[in-house]
Amino acid sequence: GKNEYDLLVIGGGSGGLACAKEAAQFGRKVAVLDYVDPSPRGTTWGLGGTCVNVGCIPKKLMHQAALLGSALKDAPHYGWNIAQPAHHSWSVMAQAVQNYVKSLNWGHRVQLQDKKVKYLNMKGSFSDPHTVRGWTKAGKETIVTADNIVIATGGRPKYPTQVVGALQYGITSDDLFWLKESPGKTLSSFILYVSLECAGFLTGIGLDTAVMMRSIPLRGFDQASMECLTECREQMASLVTEHMESYGTKFLKRCFPTKVEKLESNRLQVTWKNTDLGTEESDSFDTVMWAVGRAPDTKTLNLEAVGVKTNSETGKIIVDASEATSVPHIYAIGDVTEGRPELTPTAIAAGKLLAQRLFGQSSELMDYASVPTTVFTPLEYGCVGLSEEAAVQCHGADNVEVFHAYYKPLEFTVAERDATQCYMKMVCLRESEQRILGLHFIGPNAGEVIQGFALGIKCGATYPQLMKTVGIHPTCAEEVTKLHITKRSGLDATVTGC
Amino acid sequence: MGWEEIQVRGYEEFVRTAQRYHGRPIFALFCGDKDAEGRSWCPDCVTAEPVVRNELHNLPDESVFIYCLVGDRAYWKDPNNEFRRNLKLTGVPTLLKYGTPQKLVEEECFKADLVRMLFTED
């Protein structure tokens, strides 16, 4: 018989919702399955996926809370009479953030209803390539059939199962943003961008925070699977962590945890090996947060039954350039797919383009090249295009020119803030045209700075064109237009004020 | 026990009534005042009210439906009136589930399926 829906989307996150809504615009019959398995700690949330509930949104808001803390410290220099130190209330912040997230959950519900997309709060599992069994929390079952199925189930944080007590006593980002009470003295392991961002804002709101890292602060960045972050190790990662250290985050370097135990006081005792000194150390914390990577959420989909191929190492679904899986009419987008950035905007764009190809006579594929991104650590790191390492690997050191500069944001001067790690570098081809391959910026508002330059890179901007671009004064971004000291020259790259 | 309707006028009366029923699900429809003929100065409220009333039978048991007249047009237009300031209302009609971010504003209230969704979803 005929399938009930033109499109079934499994997963109501950034990618899934964008795909569903776009398909509905074409007048198609669309259904979305969304379901959140509670975290081991019991945390759960509404419609919208990781970004809205336990990712980008709450993260950026709490990062903002921490930045405001810094601004309060700067304020007396600018003439403000503020009682120092200012006290921060986790519960006031958390409630405000959680309320905003809930309003987004509702907003998505209204949008789906309005666009006539059928929403089912159910967990899905394949019966055959066009049939998915869905069941509610209460166990009620529904069969859904569709001509086309898009898997957009995203991922969930992993636990370091080799650490005794990790699952029992530790939390992840899934839980952190929904805590009603302050996490208190926190240990964050390991060095992924999630860990740094969270440790960063926790320190910023006045909490005693430590980050544990097994090796040099770059390994973890690999797992972000973002084109520029993937390899932008040494320099950028060190600068970011150096800044955090100077602002009070403790770094337990070359250590790895062996066990977590609960004390009588209800605090947690963490024991770890210090590989430098060859000793065992321990300390007590109120909260232990794991940031060891994310695993694709595919376990209960029953992919084997329909033959959807996954990467044996990562478990992620293998897709081609059109987001098609190994099974006709079954597609996958977003964090659940192999080799794609784990980013909201790419999932949304991929979802929309997929819907346009399926129902709108388009043939445009998603362009994953030069995706800009930003890590929202206390001193932010934004980038677009190739890392220095990737450019050298691709074109050879002789064909790559790296322009760089250490600069000082004007706002830091009066506030007597240390700008040692404020830095930028631009990677260009050395030959005639001098095309810009990548841009990397560490400083305040890095995301805002890099966004515009992403357009330039997409258009194939060259170094000469950049030099003809007049800067806006006084800003940090203008320093990009003035980059002229090369790494090759070995000259001092510190910019002097105007 | 099914649901019940309470009619109030003005911010103070609304807050007192909401507090009285604390613990039960509270839904509220905010509309502009009605004249002697029972017509509101707010044309969207005139459109929305019958749509909302038609869906009231979907209200969960034990819930309270507060029908609140906010005031005259001049009061409503004041950007500092208590409804705007304290309840963060941005327009009338507004239909909301008290104590949650769940609400429908203006034309959203014309859609029966959205009203039903607000009344029946968690």
Side-chain angles (χ1 to χ4, degrees):
Chain A
K2 217 182 154 251
N3 290 314
E4 196 185 347
Y5 292 95
D6 296 308
L7 175 69
L8 168 64
V9 177
I10 310 178
S14 302
L17 291 179
C19 187
K21 289 176 194 172
E22 188 73 12
Q25 303 274 73
F26 292 106
R28 294 300 179 147
K29 202 160 174 228
V30 184
V32 170
L33 247 61
D34 187 63
Y35 190 83
V36 180
D37 274 317
S39 74
R41 200 33 93 76
T43 310
T44 185
W45 50 86
L47 181 62
T50 295
C51 170
V52 162
N53 293 287
V54 287
C56 329
I57 301 296
K59 178 262 303 278
K60 187 88 191 291
L61 289 171
M62 293 196 177
H63 170 63
Q64 175 65 4
L67 290 179
L68 289 170
S70 296
L72 287 175
K73 293 205 182 84
D74 290 348
H77 291 279
Y78 282 91
W80 287 99
N81 257 332
I82 300 196
Q84 299 276 356
H87 170 73
H88 181 266
S89 161
W90 172 273
S91 37
V92 170
M93 172 186 74
Q95 187 165 63
V97 170
Q98 288 156 20
N99 276 343
Y100 178 64
V101 169
K102 287 182 187 157
S103 75
L104 292 180
N105 298 144
W106 175 250
H108 280 306
R109 277 300 284 116
V110 170
Q111 274 203 316
L112 286 186
Q113 182 74 23
D114 223 20
K115 293 188 196 299
K116 309 274 178 283
V117 172
K118 179 82 180 167
Y119 162 70
L120 298 160
N121 187 202
M122 296 181 170
K123 201 154 173 60
S125 165
F126 280 94
S127 301
D128 70 48
H130 291 281
T131 310
V132 170
R133 260 175 51 238
W135 61 94
T136 64
K137 192 163 86 174
K140 184 177 132 188
E141 214 183 85
T142 303
I143 310 279
V144 184
T145 58
D147 288 347
N148 299 280
I149 301 179
V150 174
I151 304 169
T153 51
R156 295 296 290 267
K158 293 196 275 202
Y159 278 77
T161 45
Q162 76 279 16
V163 178
V164 177
L167 188 61
Q168 249 176 310
Y169 302 120
I171 64 168
T172 67
S173 54
D174 276 0
D175 308 296
L176 181 69
F177 301 113
W178 291 93
L179 293 177
K180 297 270 185 287
E181 306 289 326
S182 170
K185 180 178 173 192
T186 304
L187 173 67
S188 184
S189 302
F190 302 103
I191 201 76
L192 298 185
Y193 76 89
V194 169
S195 174
L196 294 183
E197 286 175 331
C198 291
F201 71 69
L202 290 174
T203 303
I205 59 176
L207 298 176
D208 184 354
T209 312
V211 175
M212 188 170 298
M213 36 194 274
R214 330 169 81 102
S215 55
I216 22 191
L218 48 88
R219 237 24 61 164
F221 271 44
D222 289 356
Q223 311 211 14
S225 25
M226 291 176 231
E227 191 177 29
C228 49
L229 273 187
T230 302
E231 287 150 54
C232 232
R233 308 167 175 147
E234 318 263 2
Q235 220 185 2
M236 308 317 267
S238 314
L239 288 169
V240 161
T241 53
E242 256 170 51
H243 178 269
M244 288 175 65
E245 210 169 6
S246 70
Y247 272 79
T249 303
K250 299 186 187 63
F251 280 84
L252 298 164
K253 297 174 183 160
R254 284 172 281 283
C255 298
F256 64 89
T258 50
K259 65 176 182 233
V260 181
E261 299 158 291
K262 194 151 211 179
L263 298 170
E264 255 173 45
S265 59
N266 262 339
R267 296 189 93 208
L268 301 169
Q269 184 79 5
V270 181
T271 308
W272 64 85
K273 281 224 169 63
N274 183 322
T275 58
D276 260 355
L277 308 172
T279 52
E280 207 178 63
E281 295 168 350
S282 76
D283 195 2
S284 60
F285 299 90
D286 297 307
T287 301
V288 175
M289 193 188 84
W290 306 114
V292 302
R294 298 178 71 83
D297 203 341
T298 55
K299 272 191 245 12
T300 53
L301 281 175
N302 199 21
L303 294 178
E304 315 75 40
V306 288
V308 170
K309 292 210 175 69
T310 58
N311 178 298
S312 53
E313 216 182 280
T314 63
K316 292 187 174 187
I317 299 176
I318 298 170
V319 291
D320 65 18
S322 67
E323 332 298 351
T325 67
S326 50
V327 179
H329 305 294
I330 299 182
Y331 304 84
I333 56 174
D335 287 8
V336 80
T337 50
E338 177 62 35
R340 303 288 193 228
E342 288 182 3
L343 297 170
T344 281
T346 49
I348 290 176
K352 282 196 177 139
L353 289 173
L354 175 60
Q356 286 166 11
R357 289 194 305 273
L358 287 175
F359 307 113
Q361 273 96 45
S362 163
S363 54
E364 192 188 337
L365 297 175
M366 175 64 191
D367 181 3
Y368 289 98
S370 299
V371 171
T373 184
T374 295
V375 179
F376 294 99
T377 36
L379 196 62
E380 300 170 7
Y381 165 40
C383 60
V384 58
L386 296 182
S387 65
E388 184 178 341
E389 291 82 354
V392 164
Q393 201 170 50
C394 192
H395 302 279
D398 280 343
N399 295 317
V400 168
E401 195 76 88
V402 180
F403 298 90
H404 67 156
Y406 285 91
Y407 68 98
K408 185 161 191 170
L410 178 65
E411 293 78 9
F412 280 32
T413 55
V414 165
E416 293 174 17
R417 277 230 236 159
D418 181 14
T420 311
Q421 291 88 23
C422 290
Y423 175 79
M424 61 181 74
K425 69 178 173 182
M426 190 167 62
V427 182
C428 301
L429 279 177
R430 226 171 151 200
E431 46 75 1
S432 59
E433 233 200 0
Q434 294 179 286
R435 189 159 54 90
I436 302 170
L437 299 172
L439 179 63
H440 302 265
F441 175 94
I442 294 184
N445 307 301
E448 308 293 354
V449 170
I450 290 290
Q451 181 68 90
F453 289 108
L455 174 62
I457 302 249
K458 262 269 167 226
C459 295
T462 64
Y463 181 74
Q465 284 174 320
L466 181 67
M467 287 303 105
K468 288 210 193 77
T469 306
V470 179
I472 300 171
H473 185 72
T475 63
C476 298
E478 67 175 308
E479 300 301 335
V480 176
T481 67
K482 301 191 227 157
L483 283 168
H484 63 284
I485 304 282
T486 63
K487 277 199 177 180
R488 183 172 269 112
S489 69
L491 294 170
D492 177 13
T494 309
V495 166
T496 47
C498 75
Chain B
M1 171 205 200
W3 58 274
E4 63 183 284
E5 174 171 348
I6 321 276
Q7 301 204 346
V8 303
R9 193 180 171 278
Y11 182 75
E12 301 275 329
E13 208 187 336
F14 173 77
V15 172
R16 264 200 321 270
T17 310
Q19 277 169 357
R20 197 183 330 143
Y21 291 98
H22 177 71
R24 288 165 62 178
I26 299 173
F27 297 86
L29 177 64
F30 299 91
C31 292
D33 275 3
K34 290 177 164 168
D35 61 21
E37 275 87 54
R39 246 195 334 266
S40 175
W41 56 259
C42 161
D44 285 350
C45 301
V46 173
T47 312
E49 194 176 329
V51 176
V52 173
R53 291 200 169 279
N54 233 16
E55 297 298 325
L56 288 177
H57 65 274
N58 288 308
L59 284 171
D61 282 344
E62 302 285 327
S63 39
V64 175
F65 173 68
I66 304 179
Y67 177 76
C68 177
L69 294 177
V70 298
D72 61 27
R73 185 189 236 116
Y75 168 81
W76 181 251
K77 292 297 180 195
D78 172 14
N80 282 319
N81 76 55
E82 295 118 319
F83 288 102
R84 290 188 194 269
R85 223 173 350 110
N86 304 339
L87 287 179
K88 311 283 185 273
L89 295 196
T90 53
V92 279
T94 290
L95 178 67
L96 54 76
K97 186 171 181 180
Y98 191 66
T100 77
Q102 292 170 8
K103 65 178 177 178
L104 297 172
V105 181
E106 293 160 352
E107 310 85 54
E108 289 175 341
C109 300
F110 300 171
K111 299 177 181 170
D113 57 345
L114 290 184
V115 174
R116 200 175 315 130
M117 190 175 81
L118 180 73
F119 287 164
T120 56
E121 292 231 344
D122 252 329

